[in-house]
Amino acid sequence: MDSYLIRVNGHGDHAPMLDVHLKSTGNTMPPAKAKGRKPRWAVRASEMSKKTFNPVRAIVDSMKVEPNPKKAMISLSLGDPTVFGNLPTNDEVTRAMKEVLDSGRCNGYAPSVGYQSCREAVAAYYSCPEAPLTAQDVILTSGCSQAIELALAVLANPGQNILVPRPGFSLYKTLALSMGIEVKLYNLLPEKSWEIDLEHLESLVDEKTACLIVNNPSNPCGSVFSKSHLQEILAVASRQCVPILADEIYGDMVFADCKYEPIATLSTNVPILSCGGLAKRWLVPGWRMGWILIHDRRDIFGNEIRDGLIRLSQRILGPCTIVQGALERILDRTPPEFYHNTLSILKSNADLCYAALSSIPGLQPVRPSGAMYLMVEIEMEHFPEFENDVEFTERLISEQSVFCLPATCFEYPNFFRVVITVPEEMILEACSRIQEFCEMHYQGAEGAQDLECDK
């Protein structure tokens, strides 16, 4: 048998350490064979990995199509504002990062929930009398995506369900299904600027409903909910006693004729986990800095949800410490004109795109009010040679080298999404090509009927 001697050493400024010595008596036994088991290789992917499904990747990867070699590719598909270099972040933001990097102060591990000073900075930035925050109400995360993941993981168990917008950001479904959580889709109404169908939403609630996801401003719609509509959403959540996961990564990214209302500022009793980050408003999505803001005025979450978020955050050690070190300066010193200039560019592009696409027979764009997107309805009856929005957008690539995401990616067929962060000249060129494409394939009522009869 083997015997073990454990000695605790500790002196001076050093913490006690365990000294472990192994003493062998010489009577070593070969490992026993498990009865009835014949060793063999049987390595399989986990059930969680098999349940993980990204609808955007699945649809885009299945689009086996080459762009027109005679036309330069214009991609209006990727929600990354940095791609074309026309929307750089502010100099104060990069200076803050350089200063921290040069200082060497933030090269080590941080607490899993983030540095206390950084949590204090985020709390101070977002706190207001209607929705007060302290550092204890802030969990820093690796981007807004991880914030959403942690919020879902702490609120829902396998076998429960969550309520998700349709059309909506595909990550909600990807994360939920991987965790064994059912997704119920509630409808948004394009004819009402993508407001929620409240009757449909409330009809989906049952005893297994764990939370309601509200995305405002919206990806993919570019919509911004009014104060009155947000109050109606809160009324449903209050009646049904369902907490809200608010995806507010595009918070404050609204056009001049609109006002953004954080949903927590309107809630008197509904507990809310608000997810946000630097990615979009500060134009640095690759820096992976996000946060969860815990709004719980009636102590409905209590310590259990807070403690649960802390435990879940300990699975990895939070966001990049360099970005954390720069965070307070980024929040405090980014000049207001930077935000204004970004929104002016987005609003100008949105207006150009909306006006151009509105004049094209067979397309019906929905005017956006914020974020970085615009949704366009395809009147499929006027394009009978295409089965659906996926085929329509595939042919748009192969003939015109313009790539828009089919809205089937967002559970909303027969629409496509346009990203409005590209340079103005590319927006105009893309819209011109889309017009050429539609004019070539558009069929009036009689032509479409004749083609249908020929099938």
Side-chain angles (χ1 to χ4, degrees):
M1 283 182 74
D2 294 333
S3 62
Y4 299 86
L5 172 64
I6 300 178
R7 183 173 74 239
V8 178
N9 294 327
H11 54 83
D13 295 328
H14 300 286
M17 298 182 66
L18 290 179
D19 247 351
V20 182
H21 299 276
L22 177 64
K23 182 180 179 183
S24 176
T25 61
N27 294 328
T28 56
M29 297 288 290
K33 290 183 178 180
K35 290 183 179 179
R37 179 181 183 272
K38 184 178 180 181
R40 62 185 179 86
W41 290 107
V43 183
R44 297 288 182 269
S46 68
E47 288 303 309
M48 183 179 187
S49 71
K50 292 177 182 176
K51 291 176 183 174
T52 301
F53 172 78
N54 185 323
V56 175
R57 286 266 51 90
I59 291 168
V60 171
D61 290 347
S62 70
M63 296 172 73
K64 308 296 184 186
V65 59
E66 293 293 327
N68 184 340
K70 297 179 180 178
K71 299 189 177 188
M73 185 68 173
I74 301 177
S75 178
L76 305 179
S77 62
L78 188 60
D80 181 347
T82 71
V83 169
F84 296 98
N86 60 314
L87 291 173
T89 192
N90 184 256
D91 289 343
E92 282 290 347
V93 177
T94 51
R95 269 197 292 270
M97 284 287 281
K98 289 175 182 177
E99 183 182 288
V100 174
L101 191 59
D102 290 341
S103 75
R105 294 193 314 266
C106 299
N107 293 337
Y109 291 124
S112 63
V113 293
Y115 288 127
Q116 179 72 8
S117 61
C118 299
R119 297 168 72 195
E120 290 171 354
V122 173
Y125 190 81
Y126 286 103
S127 186
C128 61
E130 301 81 10
L133 291 165
T134 69
Q136 303 314 304
D137 301 316
V138 178
I139 306 285
L140 298 184
T141 61
S142 182
C144 188
S145 295
Q146 196 207 8
I148 294 167
E149 180 184 28
L150 295 187
L152 278 178
V154 81
L155 292 175
N157 286 307
Q160 290 187 289
N161 64 69
I162 60 171
L163 308 181
V164 171
R166 174 174 56 200
F169 185 37
S170 61
L171 182 70
Y172 310 139
K173 184 174 182 179
T174 298
L175 293 173
L177 295 183
S178 73
M179 299 177 192
I181 300 163
E182 182 189 357
V183 171
K184 290 187 172 184
L185 301 170
Y186 65 82
N187 291 329
L188 305 182
L189 303 170
E191 67 274 15
K192 292 187 175 182
S193 298
W194 301 109
E195 286 190 348
I196 295 174
D197 183 337
L198 296 167
E199 186 177 341
H200 182 235
L201 168 66
E202 194 157 12
S203 73
L204 297 175
V205 180
D206 62 23
E207 68 282 354
K208 291 186 176 181
T209 300
C211 74
L212 160 64
I213 294 181
V214 177
N215 176 210
N216 180 55
S218 166
N219 174 15
C221 301
S223 55
V224 180
F225 293 149
S226 67
K227 180 178 180 179
S228 61
H229 189 57
L230 288 168
Q231 289 169 329
E232 292 173 328
I233 297 165
L234 285 165
V236 172
S238 180
R239 277 196 302 273
Q240 298 297 336
C241 297
V242 175
I244 288 177
L245 191 170
D247 179 357
E248 298 180 317
I249 187 63
Y250 296 97
D252 291 306
M253 292 187 73
V254 299
F255 303 150
D257 52 353
C258 204
K259 185 182 179 186
Y260 166 67
E261 305 271 1
I263 193 169
T265 62
L266 305 175
S267 175
T268 56
N269 66 322
V270 177
I272 295 166
L273 297 181
S274 172
C275 300
L278 290 183
K280 307 299 183 177
R281 193 174 185 220
W282 285 268
L283 305 176
V284 286
W287 290 10
R288 311 313 300 141
M289 171 57 71
W291 46 74
I292 300 173
L293 308 180
I294 305 168
H295 297 278
D296 187 27
R297 292 214 217 157
R298 297 289 182 88
D299 203 33
I300 294 167
F301 283 152
N303 289 332
E304 186 169 349
I305 295 299
R306 293 172 185 271
D307 291 346
L309 284 169
I310 292 170
R311 286 193 295 270
L312 288 167
S313 76
Q314 291 166 352
R315 295 193 298 175
I316 66 169
L317 284 178
C320 172
T321 54
I322 302 293
V323 188
Q324 286 191 59
L327 185 55
E328 182 175 1
R329 179 170 168 176
I330 290 171
L331 295 177
D332 290 346
R333 298 196 192 179
T334 303
E337 56 267 24
F338 165 71
Y339 308 123
H340 175 76
N341 291 342
T342 301
L343 289 173
S344 294
I345 292 168
L346 294 178
K347 174 72 162 64
S348 175
N349 283 353
D351 289 345
L352 285 171
C353 190
Y354 178 81
L357 297 181
S358 294
S359 68
I360 300 174
L363 298 185
Q364 293 290 338
V366 181
R367 185 185 290 277
S369 299
M372 309 187 318
Y373 311 101
L374 176 148
M375 286 278 275
V376 184
E377 181 181 6
I378 311 164
E379 295 176 338
M380 295 304 299
E381 67 272 19
H382 293 298
F383 300 98
E385 64 188 286
F386 306 127
E387 287 290 326
N388 50 43
D389 56 308
V390 177
E391 281 195 15
F392 182 97
T393 51
E394 279 182 331
R395 288 282 291 278
L396 185 57
I397 296 170
S398 66
E399 294 181 18
Q400 297 292 339
S401 297
V402 175
F403 184 17
C404 301
L405 268 190
T408 292
C409 294
F410 310 107
E411 308 280 353
Y412 212 78
N414 301 334
F415 277 70
F416 62 86
R417 187 192 74 174
V418 174
V419 174
I420 57 172
T421 57
V422 304
E424 178 181 310
E425 62 273 16
M426 293 182 73
I427 283 274
L428 293 173
E429 173 63 19
C431 289
S432 174
R433 293 187 198 178
I434 292 170
Q435 179 171 357
E436 183 180 328
F437 175 83
C438 289
E439 288 174 351
M440 182 169 293
H441 296 284
Y442 179 85
Q443 296 283 337
E446 291 183 8
Q449 191 173 24
D450 292 343
L451 196 59
E452 196 65 35
C453 293
D454 291 339
K455 286 186 178 179

